Amino acid sequence: MCGIIGIVGRDEVAGRLLEGLKRLEYRGYDSAGIATLRNGAIETRRAEGKLGNLESLLEREPLAGIIGVGHTRWATHGVPNETNAHPHATERVAVVHNGIIENFRELRAEVVGRGRNLASKTDTEVVAHLVTLYLEDGLAPPEATFAALKRLEGAFALALVFAGHTDLLIGARRGNPLAIAHGKGEMYLGSDALALAPLSRRITYLEEGDWAVITKSDATIFDAEGAEIRRSVTLTEPSDGLAEKGGHPHFMLKEIYEQPQVIGDTLRAFVNPATRSVSLPELPFDPARVTRLTLVACGTAYYAAMVAKYWLEGIARIPCEVDIASEFRYRGADMADEGAMVVVSQSGETADTLAALRYARAQNQPTLAVVNVPESTIARESDAVLRTFAGPEIGVASTKAFTTQLTVLACLAIVAARARGAIDAEREAELAAALVEVPARAADVLNHDERIRELSHVIAPARDVLYLGRGTSYAIALEGALKLKEISYIHAEGYAAGEMKHGPIALVDESVPVIVIAPSDPLFEKTASNIQEVAARGGRVIFFSDREGVGRLAEIAAATVALPAVDPFVAPILYAIPVQLLAYHTAVLRGSDVDQPRNLAKSVTVE
Ligand code: G6P
């Protein structure tokens, strides 16, 4: 994982490298570091922990130089301490790396055998020593780098600076993204366009296997065979400054509260409220004829895909399968003739989701991506994109990205249902009208924040928490449990309510809060029976439903929250919000780092 940035410039770089790293912190925050050249010699500053530690170190011990590289780490090989922090440097080269060098053990033995001393436990340090050995053999930096690249197995994006070369930055990518930004008399290199946005909007994305020799005036790009190659320059969207918390104590809460707005922004792109009809950009498959949709994603996006399966099967009558990307990609599944792949990803950079997308492309499946970052690798490699308009999501636990993913997928279900004749214009209008109501109803749900904060006092002391639901509420139960685990570190499980009696009911006693998500829908009675079963065994049920549902089960539930009554079609979008709030308030009570929970990263760019 990790984020990397490089500047070959005219002016001092340390401050700007640090700013770039702030924009890359979503890729990991186990440690951070930068290296610059001062009078041609490599100097580094590295610090364990979040970027703030590096920032303080730089205040105490500033780093001069007009060329340098920076790194923010999510540890894969070697614990997150200063020694394992990047940049890894020898006297001749400093390297930052995103990815995993799979053959590092063999290479390590080789460079140690040739007299090099390695300090860290990382897979990266070996790259610095390998390049150094080639430099000592008399190769110039580009040739030494190319020779080393040919020896590396695995996935990587690399940036290197060389002692004595104040106008030379080298970047290379295989498997992990890397972009060059073109400035005026300066050039930049970074993991994504977001990190580079304040420096320049003119971006060249390196392709698989590319490597580039960058000076302050130019970039020369080579392919994996070493042949010079041209890559186009694109203009990225203007970027906002680094997002602010807007008066909220955490980004996560701010993003939860933005949901009425961003769901509305997303709906405006696809739904005409006057005609109550839905239209999408051209799809890469014919929804009337597609035989099977394969929906693949990771984490929270996977639960959005899971809700979509219920919609696409139940409303549009399209056979669907939904899978976790890391499982799907190695399953060796034959994909259906006339089938299509839908990937869902906030960042558009998740390594497993990207690999699943490439797998589908290799199987000649048309590919559609639901993504939040339009310049992302997944967006660029898919045949078509349906964009979520969530805006930048900073909190590691996904909130507004999830509900906007659901919004887009709901639109897809309506369009596909119409194309297949599974619904008529009248039903389309009803479903579209229900969607158009969502922003206002989401604002109503947020009015229950204080009540949910009170309930977090019941959850915070628990060791285990169960979340139950049926149908689309089952996916929300899973998402609720994931949210709680991610940020409060309480063990939580989401379960299909009907499956409770096949095992998890054995866990139920007074110490295990059971959160039930059950809007009034055709499955309500079934879930109600399961709640009775839990209550009969002393379970403490916290019940999220609408006024009617709450009225029917108030007596047996330990606590209830009556949300607005809505068309069951849109219920999962709205019921996502209270589970987000419950996880948030519980995490705050427990004092965990809500926006940057331990061991996690916002974008998982390793498999
Ligand atoms: C990480 C994040 C999750 C996210 C998942 C998938 O685990 O912490 O919040 O749901 O990655 O990310 P993506 O960017 O593909 O949606």
Side-chain angles (χ1 to χ4, degrees), residues 65-84:
I66 57 166
I67 175 172
V69 290
H71 187 266
T72 178
R73 179 168 189 243
W74 187 82
T76 61
H77 294 63
V79 297
N81 60 18
E82 189 186 328
T83 313
N84 290 332

Side-chain angles (χ1 to χ4, degrees), residues 312-334:
L312 289 160
E313 291 190 338
I315 299 170
R317 316 306 314 164
I318 303 178
C320 283
E321 78 176 302
V322 57
D323 207 347
I324 294 164
S326 57
E327 288 300 313
F328 176 80
R329 62 180 288 196
Y330 293 116
R331 206 148 48 81
D334 291 327

Side-chain angles (χ1 to χ4, degrees), residues 298-301 344-348 350 353 396-398 405 486 601-602 604:
C298 298
T300 288
V344 185
S345 174
Q346 186 282 126
S347 63
T350 302
T353 310
V396 164
S398 186
Q405 283 160 356
E486 280 180 303
K602 180 87 188 137
V604 178

Side-chain angles (χ1 to χ4, degrees), residues 461-511:
R463 210 186 60 178
D464 308 286
V465 179
L466 285 174
Y467 285 73
L468 302 182
R470 280 176 182 258
T472 54
S473 298
Y474 167 39
I476 301 304
L478 290 164
E479 168 60 4
L482 176 63
K483 285 278 89 68
L484 192 71
K485 277 184 274 213
E486 280 180 303
I487 59 171
S488 75
Y489 317 143
I490 296 174
H491 169 243
E493 279 192 59
Y495 245 91
E499 189 68 9
M500 265 297 273
K501 49 188 156 308
H502 298 290
I505 202 161
L507 298 172
V508 169
D509 64 23
E510 278 166 15
S511 70

